[in-house]
Amino acid sequence: NAGVTQTPKFQVLKTGQSMTLQCAQDMNHEYMSWYRQDPGMGLRLIHYSVGAGITDQGEVPNGYNVSRSTTEDFPLRLLSAAPSQTSVYFCASSDTRDYQETQYFGPGTRLLVL
Amino acid sequence: GENVEQHPSTLSVQEGDSAVIKCTYSDSASNYFPWYKQELGKRPQLIIDIRSNVGEKKDQRIAVTLNKTAKHFSLHITETQPEDSAVYFCAASEGKTSYDKVIFGPGTSLSVIP
């Protein structure tokens, strides 16, 4: 199993550009989430999904869109990049199996918006 | 929505001593409380969790306690080792299932002094 993969690892954007951060998991997990982590701070939930075709907003959804057309993939789209979106973005995949929660984070995407 | 507070923000202990990190949450409907460890430059890792119907859970040197009435939960690390040095995050899930909507606390930077 590759676990949770994220691409790209690092990206530089100019203000106003759009891009998609990719996230994929091969564990057949139902739940997937996107978080952003600013320097020296905790993780803030952007969007999450409890299954294919279902998404919902987290704490800081503005400026981001998501879709979940398959169980495996959960891309995050930045509509019009702003310097305030400079951050490290983590995707997480989670599920409950035999009453035991499992959760894995991807390696992260470092985004710099100039 | 859910709000998670965490104390202290930084903690230094001597190797072999115990470390305690405390968190409070605001939403009485929250039912799942995971803890994460994040080493510098790496992704968060789930280290232990507790459900709302359980008061305490142990896993080797780490334990978590939950007081639903007071809406607070704590992480206890015994016999600390230098490799325990990291940032620790508590979180609370306010969704219908464990991973519907996981909100993180701001983190505690733990340093274990050899």
Side-chain angles (χ1 to χ4, degrees), chain B residues 10-61:
Chain B
T10 59
L11 179 60
S12 291
V13 299
Q14 291 291 132
E15 183 178 357
D17 287 349
S18 296
V20 180
I21 302 171
K22 298 181 179 181
C23 290
T24 60
Y25 61 99
S26 61
D27 190 346
S28 56
S30 289
N31 52 29
Y32 176 65
F33 306 91
W35 286 86
Y36 302 87
K37 176 183 180 182
Q38 186 178 30
E39 297 175 350
L40 188 63
K42 296 189 176 180
R43 72 191 81 182
Q45 287 182 291
L46 176 67
I47 57 172
I48 195 168
D49 54 15
I50 191 167
R51 289 179 175 271
S52 58
N53 60 351
V54 175
E56 183 176 4
K57 184 177 179 181
K58 291 183 180 179
D59 183 4
Q60 299 182 345
R61 294 187 297 107

Short mmCIF file of all heavy atoms in Angstrom, two decimals, chain B residues 10-61:
data_model
loop_
_atom_site.label_atom_id
_atom_site.label_comp_id
_atom_site.label_asym_id
_atom_site.label_seq_id
_atom_site.Cartn_x
_atom_site.Cartn_y
_atom_site.Cartn_z
N THR B 10 4.13 25.21 25.52
CA THR B 10 5.46 24.60 25.51
C THR B 10 5.67 23.89 26.83
O THR B 10 5.17 24.32 27.87
CB THR B 10 6.58 25.63 25.29
OG1 THR B 10 6.52 26.60 26.34
CG2 THR B 10 6.44 26.33 23.95
N LEU B 11 6.44 22.80 26.78
CA LEU B 11 6.68 21.99 27.97
C LEU B 11 8.06 21.37 27.87
O LEU B 11 8.38 20.73 26.85
CB LEU B 11 5.61 20.90 28.06
CG LEU B 11 5.66 19.92 29.23
CD1 LEU B 11 5.55 20.65 30.56
CD2 LEU B 11 4.55 18.87 29.09
N SER B 12 8.87 21.57 28.91
CA SER B 12 10.19 20.94 28.97
C SER B 12 10.25 20.04 30.18
O SER B 12 9.86 20.46 31.28
CB SER B 12 11.28 22.02 29.08
OG SER B 12 11.39 22.75 27.89
N VAL B 13 10.71 18.82 29.99
CA VAL B 13 10.83 17.87 31.08
C VAL B 13 12.18 17.18 30.98
O VAL B 13 12.78 17.10 29.89
CB VAL B 13 9.70 16.82 31.06
CG1 VAL B 13 8.34 17.49 31.22
CG2 VAL B 13 9.75 15.98 29.80
N GLN B 14 12.64 16.68 32.12
CA GLN B 14 13.86 15.89 32.15
C GLN B 14 13.55 14.47 31.68
O GLN B 14 12.45 13.94 31.96
CB GLN B 14 14.46 15.85 33.55
CG GLN B 14 15.03 17.17 34.04
CD GLN B 14 16.29 17.57 33.28
OE1 GLN B 14 16.41 18.70 32.84
NE2 GLN B 14 17.21 16.63 33.12
N GLU B 15 14.49 13.88 31.01
CA GLU B 15 14.31 12.49 30.58
C GLU B 15 13.96 11.61 31.76
O GLU B 15 14.58 11.70 32.83
CB GLU B 15 15.60 12.00 29.92
CG GLU B 15 15.51 10.59 29.38
CD GLU B 15 16.79 10.15 28.69
OE1 GLU B 15 17.74 10.97 28.59
OE2 GLU B 15 16.85 8.99 28.25
N GLY B 16 12.93 10.80 31.57
CA GLY B 16 12.48 9.91 32.64
C GLY B 16 11.30 10.46 33.44
O GLY B 16 10.59 9.69 34.10
N ASP B 17 11.11 11.78 33.37
CA ASP B 17 9.95 12.37 34.06
C ASP B 17 8.69 12.17 33.23
O ASP B 17 8.73 11.71 32.09
CB ASP B 17 10.18 13.86 34.30
CG ASP B 17 11.21 14.12 35.39
OD1 ASP B 17 11.58 13.15 36.10
OD2 ASP B 17 11.64 15.28 35.54
N SER B 18 7.55 12.54 33.84
CA SER B 18 6.27 12.46 33.14
C SER B 18 5.91 13.80 32.53
O SER B 18 6.34 14.85 33.01
CB SER B 18 5.17 12.02 34.10
OG SER B 18 5.41 10.71 34.57
N ALA B 19 5.11 13.75 31.48
CA ALA B 19 4.60 14.96 30.83
C ALA B 19 3.08 14.86 30.73
O ALA B 19 2.55 13.78 30.42
CB ALA B 19 5.21 15.14 29.44
N VAL B 20 2.41 15.97 31.00
CA VAL B 20 0.96 16.00 30.93
C VAL B 20 0.52 17.20 30.09
O VAL B 20 0.97 18.32 30.31
CB VAL B 20 0.30 16.11 32.33
CG1 VAL B 20 -1.22 16.13 32.19
CG2 VAL B 20 0.75 14.96 33.21
N ILE B 21 -0.32 16.94 29.12
CA ILE B 21 -0.88 17.99 28.26
C ILE B 21 -2.40 17.95 28.40
O ILE B 21 -3.00 16.87 28.35
CB ILE B 21 -0.48 17.77 26.79
CG1 ILE B 21 1.05 17.75 26.66
CG2 ILE B 21 -1.08 18.85 25.90
CD1 ILE B 21 1.54 17.31 25.28
N LYS B 22 -2.99 19.13 28.61
CA LYS B 22 -4.42 19.19 28.87
C LYS B 22 -5.16 19.94 27.76
O LYS B 22 -4.64 20.94 27.24
CB LYS B 22 -4.68 19.87 30.21
CG LYS B 22 -4.06 19.13 31.39
CD LYS B 22 -4.36 19.82 32.70
CE LYS B 22 -3.75 19.03 33.86
NZ LYS B 22 -4.04 19.67 35.18
N CYS B 23 -6.35 19.46 27.45
CA CYS B 23 -7.18 20.09 26.42
C CYS B 23 -8.61 20.23 26.90
O CYS B 23 -9.08 19.39 27.70
CB CYS B 23 -7.16 19.28 25.14
SG CYS B 23 -5.58 19.33 24.27
N THR B 24 -9.27 21.27 26.44
CA THR B 24 -10.70 21.43 26.70
C THR B 24 -11.41 21.59 25.36
O THR B 24 -10.82 22.06 24.38
CB THR B 24 -10.99 22.66 27.58
OG1 THR B 24 -10.50 23.84 26.91
CG2 THR B 24 -10.30 22.54 28.92
N TYR B 25 -12.67 21.18 25.34
CA TYR B 25 -13.46 21.34 24.12
C TYR B 25 -14.78 22.00 24.47
O TYR B 25 -15.21 22.01 25.62
CB TYR B 25 -13.67 19.98 23.43
CG TYR B 25 -14.41 18.95 24.24
CD1 TYR B 25 -15.77 18.72 24.05
CD2 TYR B 25 -13.74 18.16 25.18
CE1 TYR B 25 -16.44 17.76 24.77
CE2 TYR B 25 -14.41 17.20 25.90
CZ TYR B 25 -15.76 17.00 25.70
OH TYR B 25 -16.43 16.03 26.43
N SER B 26 -15.43 22.54 23.46
CA SER B 26 -16.62 23.36 23.74
C SER B 26 -17.93 22.65 23.41
O SER B 26 -18.95 22.94 24.05
CB SER B 26 -16.55 24.65 22.93
OG SER B 26 -16.53 24.37 21.53
N ASP B 27 -17.92 21.74 22.45
CA ASP B 27 -19.16 21.11 21.99
C ASP B 27 -19.43 19.81 22.76
O ASP B 27 -18.70 18.83 22.59
CB ASP B 27 -19.07 20.83 20.49
CG ASP B 27 -20.40 20.40 19.89
OD1 ASP B 27 -21.33 20.06 20.66
OD2 ASP B 27 -20.50 20.38 18.65
N SER B 28 -20.45 19.81 23.57
CA SER B 28 -20.76 18.63 24.38
C SER B 28 -21.15 17.43 23.52
O SER B 28 -21.17 16.30 24.00
CB SER B 28 -21.89 18.94 25.37
OG SER B 28 -23.03 19.42 24.68
N ALA B 29 -21.44 17.66 22.23
CA ALA B 29 -21.80 16.55 21.34
C ALA B 29 -20.57 15.83 20.79
O ALA B 29 -20.70 14.76 20.18
CB ALA B 29 -22.65 17.07 20.19
N SER B 30 -19.38 16.40 20.98
CA SER B 30 -18.17 15.75 20.48
C SER B 30 -17.99 14.40 21.12
O SER B 30 -18.24 14.23 22.32
CB SER B 30 -16.94 16.63 20.74
OG SER B 30 -16.97 17.76 19.91
N ASN B 31 -17.60 13.41 20.32
CA ASN B 31 -17.62 12.04 20.82
C ASN B 31 -16.33 11.26 20.58
O ASN B 31 -16.22 10.09 20.93
CB ASN B 31 -18.79 11.28 20.17
CG ASN B 31 -18.77 11.42 18.66
OD1 ASN B 31 -17.72 11.57 18.05
ND2 ASN B 31 -19.94 11.39 18.06
N TYR B 32 -15.35 11.90 19.98
CA TYR B 32 -14.10 11.19 19.67
C TYR B 32 -12.95 12.17 19.81
O TYR B 32 -13.03 13.30 19.31
CB TYR B 32 -14.18 10.63 18.24
CG TYR B 32 -12.92 9.97 17.77
CD1 TYR B 32 -12.45 8.80 18.37
CD2 TYR B 32 -12.19 10.51 16.72
CE1 TYR B 32 -11.29 8.21 17.93
CE2 TYR B 32 -11.03 9.91 16.28
CZ TYR B 32 -10.58 8.76 16.88
OH TYR B 32 -9.43 8.16 16.45
N PHE B 33 -11.88 11.71 20.51
CA PHE B 33 -10.80 12.63 20.87
C PHE B 33 -9.45 11.98 20.55
O PHE B 33 -8.90 11.23 21.35
CB PHE B 33 -10.90 13.00 22.35
CG PHE B 33 -12.26 13.52 22.71
CD1 PHE B 33 -13.25 12.66 23.14
CD2 PHE B 33 -12.55 14.87 22.59
CE1 PHE B 33 -14.53 13.13 23.46
CE2 PHE B 33 -13.82 15.36 22.90
CZ PHE B 33 -14.80 14.49 23.34
N PRO B 34 -8.89 12.31 19.40
CA PRO B 34 -7.57 11.75 19.03
C PRO B 34 -6.43 12.67 19.44
O PRO B 34 -6.62 13.88 19.63
CB PRO B 34 -7.66 11.67 17.50
CG PRO B 34 -8.61 12.75 17.11
CD PRO B 34 -9.54 12.97 18.28
N TRP B 35 -5.26 12.09 19.58
CA TRP B 35 -4.04 12.84 19.85
C TRP B 35 -3.02 12.52 18.76
O TRP B 35 -2.90 11.38 18.32
CB TRP B 35 -3.44 12.44 21.21
CG TRP B 35 -4.18 12.99 22.38
CD1 TRP B 35 -5.27 12.44 23.00
CD2 TRP B 35 -3.89 14.20 23.08
NE1 TRP B 35 -5.66 13.23 24.04
CE2 TRP B 35 -4.85 14.31 24.12
CE3 TRP B 35 -2.92 15.20 22.96
CZ2 TRP B 35 -4.84 15.39 25.02
CZ3 TRP B 35 -2.92 16.26 23.84
CH2 TRP B 35 -3.88 16.34 24.85
N TYR B 36 -2.27 13.56 18.38
CA TYR B 36 -1.30 13.42 17.29
C TYR B 36 0.07 13.90 17.75
O TYR B 36 0.19 14.81 18.57
CB TYR B 36 -1.73 14.24 16.07
CG TYR B 36 -3.08 13.87 15.54
CD1 TYR B 36 -4.24 14.45 16.06
CD2 TYR B 36 -3.21 12.95 14.52
CE1 TYR B 36 -5.48 14.11 15.57
CE2 TYR B 36 -4.46 12.60 14.02
CZ TYR B 36 -5.59 13.19 14.56
OH TYR B 36 -6.82 12.84 14.08
N LYS B 37 1.09 13.29 17.18
CA LYS B 37 2.47 13.71 17.38
C LYS B 37 3.03 14.17 16.04
O LYS B 37 2.86 13.47 15.03
CB LYS B 37 3.29 12.52 17.91
CG LYS B 37 4.78 12.80 18.07
CD LYS B 37 5.50 11.53 18.53
CE LYS B 37 6.99 11.77 18.71
NZ LYS B 37 7.70 10.52 19.12
N GLN B 38 3.67 15.33 16.03
CA GLN B 38 4.26 15.81 14.80
C GLN B 38 5.71 16.20 15.05
O GLN B 38 5.99 17.15 15.77
CB GLN B 38 3.49 16.99 14.22
CG GLN B 38 3.99 17.43 12.85
CD GLN B 38 3.20 18.57 12.25
OE1 GLN B 38 2.66 19.41 12.97
NE2 GLN B 38 3.11 18.62 10.93
N GLU B 39 6.61 15.46 14.47
CA GLU B 39 8.02 15.80 14.55
C GLU B 39 8.33 16.89 13.53
O GLU B 39 7.60 17.06 12.55
CB GLU B 39 8.86 14.55 14.33
CG GLU B 39 8.62 13.50 15.42
CD GLU B 39 9.35 12.20 15.17
OE1 GLU B 39 9.90 12.03 14.07
OE2 GLU B 39 9.38 11.36 16.08
N LEU B 40 9.40 17.60 13.77
CA LEU B 40 9.75 18.76 12.95
C LEU B 40 9.85 18.39 11.48
O LEU B 40 10.59 17.49 11.10
CB LEU B 40 11.07 19.35 13.44
CG LEU B 40 11.47 20.69 12.81
CD1 LEU B 40 10.44 21.76 13.15
CD2 LEU B 40 12.85 21.10 13.27
N GLY B 41 9.08 19.08 10.65
CA GLY B 41 9.13 18.87 9.21
C GLY B 41 8.42 17.64 8.70
O GLY B 41 8.51 17.31 7.52
N LYS B 42 7.71 16.95 9.60
CA LYS B 42 7.03 15.72 9.20
C LYS B 42 5.52 15.84 9.31
O LYS B 42 5.00 16.83 9.81
CB LYS B 42 7.55 14.55 10.03
CG LYS B 42 9.03 14.26 9.82
CD LYS B 42 9.44 12.97 10.48
CE LYS B 42 10.90 12.65 10.17
NZ LYS B 42 11.34 11.38 10.80
N ARG B 43 4.83 14.84 8.85
CA ARG B 43 3.38 14.83 8.91
C ARG B 43 2.90 14.42 10.31
O ARG B 43 3.61 13.73 11.03
CB ARG B 43 2.83 13.85 7.87
CG ARG B 43 3.05 12.38 8.20
CD ARG B 43 2.76 11.46 7.05
NE ARG B 43 3.86 11.37 6.09
CZ ARG B 43 3.83 10.65 4.98
NH1 ARG B 43 2.74 9.96 4.67
NH2 ARG B 43 4.86 10.62 4.18
N PRO B 44 1.70 14.82 10.70
CA PRO B 44 1.15 14.38 12.00
C PRO B 44 0.89 12.88 11.98
O PRO B 44 0.56 12.30 10.93
CB PRO B 44 -0.15 15.16 12.12
CG PRO B 44 -0.05 16.27 11.14
CD PRO B 44 0.81 15.76 10.03
N GLN B 45 1.04 12.27 13.16
CA GLN B 45 0.75 10.84 13.31
C GLN B 45 -0.22 10.65 14.46
O GLN B 45 -0.01 11.19 15.55
CB GLN B 45 2.03 10.06 13.64
CG GLN B 45 3.00 9.89 12.49
CD GLN B 45 4.19 9.06 12.92
OE1 GLN B 45 5.00 9.52 13.72
NE2 GLN B 45 4.30 7.86 12.41
N LEU B 46 -1.24 9.85 14.24
CA LEU B 46 -2.18 9.50 15.31
C LEU B 46 -1.46 8.58 16.29
O LEU B 46 -0.91 7.55 15.90
CB LEU B 46 -3.39 8.79 14.70
CG LEU B 46 -4.44 8.27 15.67
CD1 LEU B 46 -5.14 9.41 16.38
CD2 LEU B 46 -5.45 7.40 14.93
N ILE B 47 -1.43 8.96 17.58
CA ILE B 47 -0.73 8.14 18.57
C ILE B 47 -1.66 7.44 19.55
O ILE B 47 -1.35 6.35 20.04
CB ILE B 47 0.33 8.96 19.35
CG1 ILE B 47 -0.31 10.17 20.05
CG2 ILE B 47 1.47 9.38 18.43
CD1 ILE B 47 0.64 10.90 20.99
N ILE B 48 -2.79 8.04 19.85
CA ILE B 48 -3.76 7.43 20.75
C ILE B 48 -5.06 8.18 20.60
O ILE B 48 -5.08 9.34 20.18
CB ILE B 48 -3.27 7.43 22.22
CG1 ILE B 48 -4.09 6.46 23.08
CG2 ILE B 48 -3.27 8.83 22.80
CD1 ILE B 48 -3.50 6.20 24.47
N ASP B 49 -6.15 7.53 20.93
CA ASP B 49 -7.45 8.18 20.84
C ASP B 49 -8.37 7.62 21.91
O ASP B 49 -8.07 6.60 22.53
CB ASP B 49 -8.05 8.00 19.45
CG ASP B 49 -8.15 6.54 19.02
OD1 ASP B 49 -8.02 5.63 19.87
OD2 ASP B 49 -8.33 6.30 17.81
N ILE B 50 -9.47 8.31 22.13
CA ILE B 50 -10.43 7.86 23.13
C ILE B 50 -11.82 8.25 22.68
O ILE B 50 -12.03 9.33 22.12
CB ILE B 50 -10.09 8.42 24.53
CG1 ILE B 50 -10.93 7.74 25.60
CG2 ILE B 50 -10.27 9.94 24.57
CD1 ILE B 50 -10.44 8.02 27.02
N ARG B 51 -12.75 7.36 22.90
CA ARG B 51 -14.14 7.65 22.59
C ARG B 51 -14.84 8.21 23.83
O ARG B 51 -14.39 8.00 24.95
CB ARG B 51 -14.85 6.38 22.13
CG ARG B 51 -14.43 5.90 20.75
CD ARG B 51 -15.18 4.62 20.40
NE ARG B 51 -14.91 4.18 19.05
CZ ARG B 51 -15.60 4.56 17.99
NH1 ARG B 51 -16.61 5.40 18.14
NH2 ARG B 51 -15.30 4.11 16.79
N SER B 52 -15.99 8.84 23.61
CA SER B 52 -16.67 9.53 24.71
C SER B 52 -17.26 8.57 25.74
O SER B 52 -17.61 8.99 26.83
CB SER B 52 -17.77 10.43 24.16
OG SER B 52 -18.70 9.68 23.41
N ASN B 53 -17.38 7.29 25.41
CA ASN B 53 -17.93 6.34 26.36
C ASN B 53 -16.86 5.65 27.21
O ASN B 53 -17.14 4.70 27.94
CB ASN B 53 -18.78 5.29 25.64
CG ASN B 53 -17.98 4.51 24.61
OD1 ASN B 53 -16.84 4.85 24.31
ND2 ASN B 53 -18.58 3.47 24.07
N VAL B 54 -15.62 6.15 27.10
CA VAL B 54 -14.49 5.57 27.84
C VAL B 54 -13.82 6.68 28.64
O VAL B 54 -13.67 7.79 28.15
CB VAL B 54 -13.47 4.93 26.88
CG1 VAL B 54 -12.25 4.43 27.63
CG2 VAL B 54 -14.13 3.80 26.10
N GLY B 55 -13.41 6.36 29.88
CA GLY B 55 -12.80 7.39 30.72
C GLY B 55 -11.29 7.45 30.62
O GLY B 55 -10.70 8.50 30.83
N GLU B 56 -10.66 6.31 30.29
CA GLU B 56 -9.20 6.27 30.23
C GLU B 56 -8.77 5.18 29.26
O GLU B 56 -9.43 4.15 29.12
CB GLU B 56 -8.62 5.99 31.62
CG GLU B 56 -7.11 5.99 31.67
CD GLU B 56 -6.56 5.80 33.08
OE1 GLU B 56 -7.36 5.59 34.01
OE2 GLU B 56 -5.32 5.87 33.25
N LYS B 57 -7.65 5.43 28.61
CA LYS B 57 -7.09 4.44 27.69
C LYS B 57 -5.57 4.52 27.76
O LYS B 57 -5.02 5.62 27.83
CB LYS B 57 -7.57 4.72 26.27
CG LYS B 57 -7.12 3.70 25.24
CD LYS B 57 -7.74 4.04 23.89
CE LYS B 57 -7.30 3.08 22.81
NZ LYS B 57 -7.91 3.45 21.49
N LYS B 58 -4.91 3.37 27.79
CA LYS B 58 -3.46 3.33 27.89
C LYS B 58 -2.86 2.56 26.72
O LYS B 58 -3.45 1.60 26.22
CB LYS B 58 -3.03 2.67 29.20
CG LYS B 58 -3.32 3.47 30.44
CD LYS B 58 -2.78 2.75 31.68
CE LYS B 58 -3.06 3.54 32.94
NZ LYS B 58 -2.56 2.85 34.16
N ASP B 59 -1.67 2.98 26.34
CA ASP B 59 -0.91 2.25 25.32
C ASP B 59 0.56 2.42 25.65
O ASP B 59 1.17 3.44 25.34
CB ASP B 59 -1.21 2.79 23.92
CG ASP B 59 -0.50 2.01 22.83
OD1 ASP B 59 0.17 1.00 23.15
OD2 ASP B 59 -0.61 2.40 21.65
N GLN B 60 1.10 1.45 26.35
CA GLN B 60 2.49 1.47 26.79
C GLN B 60 2.75 2.70 27.64
O GLN B 60 2.17 2.82 28.74
CB GLN B 60 3.43 1.37 25.58
CG GLN B 60 3.23 0.09 24.79
CD GLN B 60 4.18 -0.05 23.63
OE1 GLN B 60 4.83 0.90 23.20
NE2 GLN B 60 4.28 -1.26 23.10
N ARG B 61 3.58 3.65 27.21
CA ARG B 61 3.93 4.79 28.06
C ARG B 61 2.97 5.97 27.92
O ARG B 61 3.16 7.00 28.58
CB ARG B 61 5.35 5.26 27.71
CG ARG B 61 6.45 4.27 28.03
CD ARG B 61 7.83 4.88 27.82
NE ARG B 61 8.07 5.26 26.43
CZ ARG B 61 8.10 6.52 25.99
NH1 ARG B 61 7.89 7.53 26.84
NH2 ARG B 61 8.33 6.78 24.72
#
